[in-house]
Amino acid sequence: MNVLGIETTCDETAAAVVAPGENGRGRILSNEVLSQIAEHAAYGGVVPEIAARAHVEVLDRLIDRAVSGAGLTLAQVDGIAVAAGPGLIGGVLIGLVTAKTLALVTRKPLIAVNHLEAHALTARLTDGIGFPYLLLLASGGHTQLVAVKGVGEYVRLGTTIDDAIGEAFDKVAKLLGLGYPGGPEVERMAETGDPERFALPRPMLGRREANFSLSGLKTALRIEAEKLAPLSSVDVADLCASFQAAVVDVVVDRLRVAMRDFATVAGHPTALVAAGGVAANGAIRRALTTQAGEAGLAFVAPPLALCGDNGAMIAWAGIERLRLGLVDDLTAPARARWPFAEPAAIA
Ligand code: KG4
Ligand code: ZN
């Protein structure tokens, strides 16, 4: 079973072909990603109209490369999976209309995949882990703690009440004059910084529900930066290190709460899983590795190339759904907003 995956919800245009592999894992036959970062960098963030136009320009060639790179023709593909949201609607429409057209002319099943679900299932593609597992999904637009009980069975244990973690990294980078996307830049600066120089707040620490709040942390950092302006490179490094340390403390504390609530909704997890662009952060990965070890759990995070947006995760989610007969027809809608997890009912 070879499934083509198409991803156009944000600022990467991506296409990949994945097949089921050994030990429950997936086998990535091709994985083409074209980042638009250079086209958005001047604006300090993704410009939806620029993103949509850039997807149109490259998507057909990228699909061609993914299919031929897998050693196949379109006729040999068994399903066409596409991220139908959530995301920037112009880009989502381009991917979805392309996928529908391919499904129509090749008479292959169409699988309209939730982008967040694809991030959530990536640990099965890479490591073949079983259900249920505890997921930290953290990207530029989302921060959620989720009990992943099965394909299509997701219970949300916590979320952010304001900024997403990646968004907070991006905003901090912007206010410190670093490049976009901010996460990797802040992490790089933090390497040489002193994480204890600034006593930044740890919002939500000790709270009963596993929710996040990051805007107060970002504001506290801005106040420190304004007091010091103009900033030396040492100041910037220390601010980045202090910010990242605060984020790590918050993530570890919120995960502790989520682990407790997980038992109520899903029993004993097979693993602690991180996904989404923020899962590329080394400090967060190290902290989660330690925390999972202390809880007697395996820690699974995708390799860096599969943390950010990619087509392989869409293709894999397509395989997971196709195996269960969960296919879509040509009326599948493009969705700017598309919650994938049900909120947990925990007292
Ligand atoms: O999943 P993703 O590629 O796109 C979506 O938002 O769906 O995630 C991108 C986000 C950006 O906010 C970026 O700054 C953040 O992930 N990110 C990081 C790191 N690498 C990417 N945040 C912290 N540390 C990193 N190393
Ligand atoms: Zn994403």
Side-chain angles (χ1 to χ4, degrees), residues 248-249 251-252 272 282-293 299:
V248 166
D249 285 353
V251 168
V252 167
L272 170 61
I284 293 176
R285 285 171 95 106
R286 283 190 294 278
L288 297 191
T289 305
T290 305
Q291 189 176 19
F299 175 64

Side-chain angles (χ1 to χ4, degrees), residues 98-123:
T98 305
K100 284 180 178 177
T101 309
L102 291 177
L104 188 65
V105 298
T106 61
R107 298 171 196 265
K108 304 290 172 163
L110 172 77
I111 308 111
V113 168
N114 183 310
H115 175 95
L116 301 173
E117 175 178 35
H119 274 303
L121 296 172
T122 301

Side-chain angles (χ1 to χ4, degrees), residues 208-251:
R208 198 249 160 269
E209 318 81 6
N211 287 334
F212 292 80
S213 166
L214 291 142
S215 74
L217 171 56
K218 175 197 65 197
T219 305
L221 181 135
R222 178 166 51 72
I223 292 166
E224 295 292 347
E226 282 168 1
K227 276 196 267 181
L228 285 171
L231 299 173
S232 70
S233 60
V234 171
D235 294 334
V236 172
D238 292 347
L239 283 164
C240 286
S242 301
F243 169 77
Q244 187 171 271
V247 171
V248 166
D249 285 353
V250 169
V251 168

